Each structure stands twice: as C-alpha cells, then as structure tokens.
Amino acid sequence: MVKNLDILNLEWQSTGRDRCSVTPILVYLQEFYGYTFKCKSIFEGLFWLLFYRPKVLLMSNSIGGKINVSIAKYAKSIGVRVVSLQAEGNVIEEFIEEIVWGHNREKEVYDSLLFLWAEKGKELVDQHYPQLKNIAYFTGNSGCDRYIILD
C-alpha cells in the first residue's frame, strides 16, 4: 500500500482519449512537484479510495457516467478532494445543463476543482451556475499537450 498517496486517478479504460489527457498532467505533477499517484479502474473505485485514502481523486470527467458520479460523491463524503476535467470543447448554451451536470441528476457539487477545455464553457458555467464559479477554471484542452509540455 502507498502511504500518503497524493492523487488517485480513476478511469474507465487504460487507453484512449481520457488516459491520454490525464497522463501528462499526472507525470507533470510527479516530475515537477513530487506528487505521488496511482491509476486504477473506476469499476473498482470504491475499493481503491478506501485502500489508498488519497488526498485527491482526479477523474477525466466526474459526471460522464453514473459510476463516475457515485465515485465522486463517495470520495467527497470521506474527505477526498475531487478534481475533474470537463472534456467538452464545443459548449453551447442550450446544452449547458447537460454539459455541467451530465449523470449528476441531484445537481450536487462534488468537485473541489473543475477544469474546462473551453473559455466559452467557463463563461456559460459562471453565467448559469454561479455556485461553480469559484471551482471552475478554463485550462484549455488537456489532451493537446500529450507530445510536448510548453512553458
């Protein structure tokens, strides 16, 4: 067991867009800040949360599936901070509710930080959901840096 694990990353798959978006972030945090991390399957997420008791749960999307929402909700309930990437770049106002809440039908805020790909998405989140204003940040597409990390 890893004691004092900083970041637990839970994803649906070990390959693909989500993994390619999250991995450079995790490696950067490890190499430049010394954070420890583990990547595991979201389908065993409850076990890994209890096993590692991380400081942070990082997910490519905390609202992208029912299991994602359940895991984020549980993590928050045991004091683990949830950080989520919102992997939608083409944000339009008529779909902002679905983009923000997805499978989170209770519309409860489980994220401590929410990173948005699109500046327009951040503007719409601030406009429609002021309760998210202090946790939502525009970061750009986290998948574009998979080949090189620039200053």
Side-chain angles (χ1 to χ4, degrees):
M1 172 166 52
V2 175
K3 294 184 179 190
N4 301 316
L5 183 67
D6 294 310
I7 305 165
L8 175 62
N9 170 239
L10 298 175
E11 302 297 340
W12 281 55
Q13 299 177 334
S14 59
T15 61
R17 181 186 76 172
D18 293 342
R19 173 61 46 221
C20 288
S21 295
V22 172
T23 300
I25 295 168
L26 291 168
V27 171
Y28 181 87
L29 291 172
Q30 180 184 49
E31 292 300 315
F32 291 96
Y33 294 95
Y35 290 117
T36 58
F37 71 87
K38 291 287 182 182
C39 299
K40 298 294 182 182
S41 169
I42 196 166
F43 300 103
E44 300 166 339
L46 294 177
F47 172 79
W48 294 118
L49 279 168
L50 290 172
F51 185 80
Y52 289 120
R53 294 290 179 152
K55 295 174 185 150
V56 172
L57 169 63
L58 174 65
M59 304 170 73
S60 61
N61 193 336
S62 66
I63 52 95
K66 291 179 183 178
I67 191 169
N68 300 53
V69 175
S70 295
I71 294 290
K73 182 178 182 177
Y74 182 74
K76 183 177 179 179
S77 78
I78 63 170
V80 175
R81 295 181 64 184
V82 179
V83 176
S84 180
L85 310 177
Q86 172 48 267
E88 180 57 58
N90 188 21
V91 180
I92 57 176
E93 191 163 14
E94 72 181 89
F95 296 116
I96 191 66
E97 182 174 344
E98 184 63 28
I99 288 169
V100 169
W101 300 113
H103 288 276
N104 183 347
R105 303 297 182 227
E106 297 170 346
K107 296 182 182 176
E108 293 289 327
V109 179
Y110 302 121
D111 295 327
S112 297
L113 290 171
L114 172 61
F115 296 127
L116 303 161
W117 280 15
E119 190 170 13
K120 182 178 178 184
K122 169 63 173 153
E123 292 169 3
L124 289 172
V125 166
D126 290 351
Q127 178 184 345
H128 291 275
Y129 302 103
Q131 70 270 36
L132 300 176
K133 190 172 189 167
N134 293 327
I135 67 163
Y137 294 90
F138 162 63
T139 59
N141 178 339
S142 55
C144 289
D145 58 0
R146 73 173 86 161
Y147 302 107
I148 187 168
I149 297 176
L150 302 173
D151 290 339

